[in-house]
Amino acid sequence: MLIHANAASPGPSRTRIAAAYLCDSNYHDITLYSLASFARSHSRPLDFHFFQVGYRKDVPARFKDFLASRNHTIHVIDAPFARPAFEIRERPGKHRHITETALLKERAIGELSEAYDYVLYLDGDMLAFGDVHCEQVAGFNEIAAACLDLSIGTGIDDPLIFDRCNVYGLSPRYFNSGLMLINSRKWRETEAERRFSENLEQHLDHCPYMSACPTHDQCVFNMTFDSDTLLLPISLNVQKCALHTHAWRTATVRHYTGPRKFLPVRARTCDPREHALLRAISRETGLPGPGWVYDHGISYLVNKVRRRKEIAVYEHALAQQRIADVGTLEFDGGTVDSLLGEARRAHRGSGRIPALDGSLKKVLRKD
């Protein structure tokens, strides 16, 4: 089931929440921008832990002052854990921009799980445009709360994923591991670190989700958490595969998956909303500005026209996903009719609308 927030969750005075980032030297500046975006939008105080893997670079004093002005704290930490003893084995389709640093996520979470009630793990290639309200989501009993992966979890990348999940007895609600709110108590009680390690070795030999698996750690987190996961609203982690869609335009959090991030700025993928946020962060924190003479979104709109067929596929998949959760989710006040209209408008000029899946047909029959 998807939720917006748990209204009965404990108040912030009773809930200790840490926000964890993990990065190497290549992503230092990008991660600071990401951290600043969450800090400037999150109204309740957070303890940020900035784990640095294989390098040491302090955070500028002005950046620390910016965090303090919003009642947040930051701890810059040399990652106190070693890399996995084995090497990543390359497979066809593997994302080469994902490094072995990704395999240390569970160790960073484990490091904080003793001292905090919940640990918010964040990839450094995310930007928050609004408050994610961790204090409202906290209070769930599952081991983790996360968002659907929009290319894998919808079956767009590999439609056979749902059949494989059925064969291996795994939940088909495949989530993206870039933003995870971890229940520390459940993490410890279920020995998540041990199970993650076991699943990691299994995944190196065989991925139960995809024939050509592109991930290093994400499938392993899905194997470890499986159905003990609370799915959050998609708006809290809209991945870049949904670029130019309505979900991307209105996302609370954008996730810049793939080798190209939000810096350096690329006019074809940077809309005015993104550019304004980057400039605001630079002004408020003293971080180097986004640079480049911006064309106010003209190239972005031209690129949107070029990608209209791909956009339509994601609009349709997103509409179906939201419709499938009617009755269990209060989402932006949207109606079935408006969601279908959104998907159909996306397909204008791009060919035939794909066949509706069973859950969508069922809703349509009711209407």
Side-chain angles (χ1 to χ4, degrees):
M1 184 178 79
L2 288 98
I3 63 168
H4 270 293
N6 184 346
S9 62
S13 61
R14 295 169 50 198
T15 306
R16 298 163 298 170
I17 303 175
Y21 280 97
L22 183 74
C23 78
D24 56 26
S25 58
N26 294 327
Y27 287 114
H28 179 84
D29 292 339
I30 288 175
T31 302
L32 286 183
Y33 259 92
S34 177
L35 194 156
S37 72
F38 279 89
R40 75 191 299 271
S41 61
H42 203 278
S43 56
R44 300 297 178 91
L46 288 174
D47 263 356
F48 288 97
H49 294 257
F50 188 17
F51 290 100
Q52 299 181 345
V53 181
Y55 82 106
R56 176 69 186 197
K57 189 173 182 180
D58 201 9
V59 173
R62 184 176 169 186
F63 190 92
K64 293 179 180 177
D65 292 341
F66 159 78
L67 294 178
S69 70
R70 285 159 174 77
N71 299 315
H72 302 301
T73 60
I74 185 169
H75 309 272
V76 181
I77 308 165
D78 292 323
F81 27 77
R83 293 178 183 274
F86 46 80
E87 293 293 324
I88 293 175
R89 301 172 200 166
E90 296 296 337
R91 292 196 198 94
K94 184 70 71 177
H95 289 327
R96 296 185 180 276
H97 63 275
I98 301 176
T99 68
E100 290 186 31
T101 301
L103 298 178
L104 301 178
K105 287 182 185 179
E106 49 86 24
R107 301 190 186 185
I109 294 167
E111 187 79 10
L112 299 173
S113 65
E114 297 290 339
Y116 293 89
D117 299 311
Y118 292 87
V119 179
L120 176 66
Y121 174 81
L122 297 166
D123 276 353
D125 58 352
M126 310 184 89
L127 285 176
F129 292 81
D131 196 336
V132 299
H133 293 292
C134 290
E135 76 288 345
Q136 294 181 13
V137 177
F140 58 87
N141 292 318
E142 291 84 354
I143 190 172
C147 299
L148 193 74
D149 188 283
L150 300 183
S151 60
I152 300 175
T154 58
I156 289 176
D157 278 3
D158 184 353
L160 296 179
I161 183 174
F162 305 116
D163 293 335
R164 296 190 188 97
C165 286
N166 185 51
V167 168
Y168 290 100
L170 294 169
S171 169
R173 308 304 291 272
Y174 185 98
F175 62 85
N176 183 277
S177 64
L179 183 152
M180 300 183 292
L181 187 60
I182 306 296
N183 181 338
S184 296
R185 175 188 58 79
K186 197 72 173 287
W187 175 273
R188 297 191 303 269
E189 289 177 354
T190 60
E191 300 182 353
E193 288 182 75
R194 176 187 59 77
R195 293 187 297 116
F196 182 92
S197 180
E198 292 171 355
N199 288 327
L200 179 59
E201 293 200 50
Q202 291 180 28
H203 184 259
L204 285 170
D205 293 323
H206 172 71
C207 175
Y209 296 103
M210 290 164 282
S211 57
C213 179
T215 79
H216 293 312
D217 67 300
Q218 184 164 278
C219 289
V220 183
F221 274 112
N222 274 271
M223 293 164 68
T224 303
F225 298 163
D226 197 35
S227 58
D228 195 22
T229 306
L230 181 67
L231 278 186
L232 295 171
I234 287 171
S235 64
L236 296 184
N237 181 357
V238 181
Q239 298 107 54
K240 200 173 105 175
C241 59
L243 180 71
H244 295 115
T245 64
H246 175 76
W248 181 261
R249 291 196 303 273
T250 61
T252 302
V253 177
R254 290 180 181 178
H255 188 179
Y256 295 78
T257 48
R260 294 181 176 180
K261 308 304 181 183
F262 51 82
L263 290 177
V265 168
R266 291 176 173 85
R268 292 188 305 167
T269 57
C270 180
D271 63 357
R273 186 185 186 214
E274 177 183 319
H275 195 257
L277 176 62
L278 295 175
R279 290 184 62 191
I281 291 173
S282 177
R283 288 195 308 269
E284 294 167 9
T285 65
L287 292 174
W292 201 75
V293 177
Y294 188 55
D295 66 359
H296 304 287
I298 295 173
S299 298
Y300 181 85
L301 292 175
V302 171
N303 192 29
K304 179 180 178 179
V305 173
R306 183 187 66 84
R307 295 184 64 250
R308 63 188 180 278
K309 292 185 179 181
E310 184 178 352
I311 296 166
V313 170
Y314 277 97
E315 293 283 24
H316 186 72
L318 288 164
Q320 290 192 95
Q321 182 58 47
R322 295 171 75 189
I323 291 169
D325 290 294
V326 168
T328 63
L329 168 67
E330 181 184 344
F331 51 84
D332 307 328
T335 65
V336 171
D337 287 340
S338 66
L339 291 171
L340 281 174
E342 193 174 290
R344 291 179 183 276
R345 283 193 298 273
H347 277 275
R348 287 175 184 167
S350 63
R352 183 177 60 85
I353 297 176
L356 305 180
D357 71 6
S359 61
L360 187 54
K361 287 179 179 178
K362 185 176 180 182
V363 172
L364 288 174
R365 282 199 299 269
K366 287 181 180 179
D367 289 350

